[in-house]
Every structure is written in C-alpha cells, then in structure tokens.
C-alpha cells in the first residue's frame, strides 16, 4: 500500500499539494475561517468560478481550480452544522469520502484536509477527528490500488495533539 496519511500543523493555504479541501458553506460564495483564508489566498477568480457551481449540498463536494494557490485544485465540501443528531456523523463522513472520490476522479494524488465542521460549525473536535481518520482509512482500504497522499492540516498545536492521539488509538485497535 503506497498510501500515506500525515498529520501536520499548518496554514492550509500555503501547502504545496495538488489539492486542498475547503470547509465551505452551502452557497460556495465564501465565508469566514478556512473558507475566507482560501478565497483570500486564491484571489478573486476563485469566487468567479464558485458562482458558476450553484452551491453545494451538505456532505457533497465540488472542484475548482486553485488560481493563486500552490495547489492546482480546491475541493469544496460542506460539513454539517453540529446538532448532536446521528445525521451529523453521516454528513461529516460523506464530506471526506466524497472529496476523496472527486480527487481520484480528477487523477489527484495528494490532498490536504482541514478539520471540517470543527470551527464555526461547532463539531466537537475529538468526535470529528475520529470520523475524519476512520473515513479516510476506510477509503484507503477500499482503494488500495490508487496512490493517494492524505494530509490532515491542523491549525493549532492543540488540534494536532488530538489528531495524533486519535491516530495512535487507531493503530492500537488495528493491532489487536
Ligand atoms: P466550519 O464552518 O466547517 O466549522 P471553519 O473554517 O470555521 O469551518 O473551521 C474549520 C477548521 O479549520 C477549524 O479547526 C479551524 O481552526 C481551521 N482553520 C481555519 N483557518 C485555517 C487555515 N488557514 N488552515 C487550516 N485550517 C484552518
């Protein structure tokens, strides 16, 4: 298996990868948090292309070019606003899954994810991290013949710590 998962602390807009994922909102017309940062770094042409996409449903993903970013592509996905309902899990899982499917469809082999829904959308970080990691591991195991480098980009050391602890937990579960 040539797939690699990495966890780093960084600003996702600065990464030199083929594709970065945006935690967007349903309008795809920009917002705060990571969405605002990506639009600022990519430049106004990103918004022009986003206007042609007619929004995006929660859990779905759409692709654009990266414009002034180092990344060639941005995959925009819309995470759930946390409510505590079972559907939140399903929707967050779909964000990661559909982003990876769309990346593969576009022959992308490196992709960076922010911690979708854990900012303004209020998803508890630990729960969201477990969903992010388990979904990506499931996807890799379903697509063993496709080489995909996956980077989890944490915006704070505290987030990175939660990702690393959750990752260790996974490794232990796999060993037993
Ligand atoms: P959502 O609305 O999906 O919750 P936010 O943008 O509010 O999206 O937050 C999602 C995550 O992205 C949060 O963990 C936040 O700290 C992180 N984040 C914000 N800016 C950046 C950035 N430039 N690079 C990487 N992660 C970021």
């Amino acid at each position: 298996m040539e797939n690699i998962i990495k966890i780093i602390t960084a600003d996702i807009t600065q990464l030199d990868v083929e594709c970065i994922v945006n935690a967007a909102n349903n309008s795809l017309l920009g917002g705060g948090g990571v969405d605002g940062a990506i639009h600022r770094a990519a430049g106004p042409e990103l918004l022009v292309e986003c206007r042609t996409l007619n929004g995006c449903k929660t859990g779905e993903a759409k692709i654009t070019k990266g414009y002034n970013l180092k990344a060639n592509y941005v995959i925009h996905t819309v995470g759930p606003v946390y409510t505590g309902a079972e559907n939140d899990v399903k929707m967050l899982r779909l964000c990661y899954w559909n982003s990876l499917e769309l990346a593969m469809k576009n022959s992308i082999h490196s992709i960076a994810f922010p911690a979708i829904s854990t900012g303004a959308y209020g998803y508890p970080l630990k729960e969201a991290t477990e969903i992010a990691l388990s979904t990506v591991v499931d996807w890799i195991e379903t697509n063993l013949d496709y080489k995909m480098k996956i980077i989890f980009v944490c915006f704070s050391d505290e987030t990175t710590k939660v990702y690393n602890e959750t990752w260790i937990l996974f490794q232990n579960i796999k060993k037993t």
Side-chain angles (χ1 to χ4, degrees), residues 10-13 23-24 32-38 79-80 114-123 125 153-156 159:
D11 175 351
I12 202 166
T13 65
V34 72
D35 194 0
I38 289 171
I116 299 166
S117 282
T118 66
Y121 282 4
Y123 217 114
L125 182 61
V153 185
C154 303
F155 204 43
S156 70
T159 306

